[in-house]
Amino acid sequence: MHASKPSASRREKLRVLVVDDHVTVLEGLTAILGRQEDMSVVAEASTGHHAVDLWKIHRPDVVLVDIRMPQMDGVEVIEAIRRLDGNARIVVLTTVDTDNEVYRAVRAGAKAYLLKDCPREELVDTIRRVHRGETCLAPSVVAKLAAGVSSDPLTPRELEVLQLLAQGYSNKEIATKLFISEPTVKTHLRSVFSKLDVLSRTEAIATASQRGLVKL
């Protein structure tokens, strides 16, 4: 008598690695995906470094990862995994949708970008579609991606000046902190205003915050 073959559903389950630094979110996502007949959560990670280690062990079909995590953020996780396998399929699930974060994630190789308030049906459908090789980006995400591509990127020094500006420092104080002259600070700010297409310090801070360039 021949041994019975494993069912198609068992044999073909989509294997997922879930990464989020909030334990309750991690447990919730694992429960949602675990209830899907065609999915199996093979591992959970609450840090970026652990996620990369678990990916090496399990080689999951799809990785579901948050963006904002301490020490090693989601974009760095995507970059590290795709250095190991350029075909790795990764879905971002986050609360952050600034132009800069979307641009960084997609540029790193994310195949989908979802917000945590999306319907669970959209989440599981996106995971399935990414597993099939599709790229799933909502029109709003594509618009943010286009904004990131079209804008002239700020230099590291310009970002430093902008961050200090956002923290309320004057030109003179910024110059002292960065060990540069006040005229040089003004030159950097003119360049920042031009690249962000703004006319004032207040507008620059608001625009930079919306794009995820500074943390207030």
Side-chain angles (χ1 to χ4, degrees):
M1 189 173 179
H2 296 292
S4 60
K5 293 181 180 180
S7 65
S9 61
R10 174 179 295 181
R11 189 171 63 245
E12 299 171 3
K13 276 199 173 184
L14 194 166
R15 302 164 66 253
V16 184
L17 165 62
V18 182
V19 187
D20 198 294
D21 62 322
H22 292 96
V23 176
T24 52
V25 174
L26 198 59
E27 292 177 348
L29 290 172
T30 299
I32 290 171
L33 301 184
R35 286 196 293 269
Q36 308 305 310
E37 292 185 357
D38 60 339
M39 293 185 188
S40 172
V41 176
V42 294
E44 306 168 20
S46 58
T47 70
H49 294 292
H50 192 205
V52 176
D53 289 340
L54 288 174
W55 188 90
K56 293 176 184 176
I57 295 170
H58 296 281
R59 298 278 171 156
D61 297 312
V62 176
V63 180
L64 185 63
V65 62
D66 192 8
I67 286 288
R68 291 276 173 87
M69 295 189 296
Q71 298 177 359
M72 185 181 194
D73 70 16
V75 173
E76 292 171 318
V77 171
I78 297 170
E79 291 170 341
I81 289 175
R82 284 178 60 82
R83 279 196 295 269
L84 296 168
D85 180 358
N87 294 316
R89 290 165 179 170
I90 303 170
V91 174
V92 168
L93 181 66
T94 184
T95 57
V96 185
D97 67 342
T98 61
D99 298 356
N100 190 51
E101 300 292 5
V102 171
Y103 177 63
R104 289 179 63 230
V106 175
R107 183 179 61 182
K111 297 299 182 184
Y113 197 106
L114 296 173
L115 295 180
K116 287 182 178 177
D117 60 0
C118 73
R120 67 182 62 185
E121 294 79 11
E122 182 180 357
L123 170 62
V124 295
D125 180 60
T126 297
I127 292 174
R128 292 184 183 111
R129 290 173 61 190
V130 167
H131 179 235
R132 292 197 296 265
E134 297 180 36
T135 297
C136 306
L137 298 175
S140 59
V141 170
V142 173
K144 291 179 183 294
L145 181 61
V149 171
S150 62
S151 61
D152 192 3
L154 302 184
T155 67
R157 178 61 91 187
E158 288 169 351
L159 285 170
E160 286 180 318
V161 170
L162 184 58
Q163 182 62 57
L164 291 172
L165 182 73
Q167 292 172 5
Y169 291 102
S170 67
N171 288 1
K172 186 175 181 179
E173 290 169 330
I174 293 173
T176 300
K177 281 186 167 292
L178 298 181
F179 302 101
I180 57 180
S181 69
E182 196 170 345
T184 300
V185 172
K186 292 179 180 178
T187 298
H188 285 311
L189 285 176
R190 279 197 296 271
S191 178
V192 168
F193 286 10
S194 175
K195 289 179 179 180
L196 297 182
D197 193 24
V198 298
L199 299 174
S200 70
R201 298 164 76 94
T202 302
E203 193 180 359
I205 294 168
T207 300
S209 177
Q210 191 274 329
R211 292 189 183 180
L213 297 173
V214 298
K215 295 178 182 178
L216 300 179

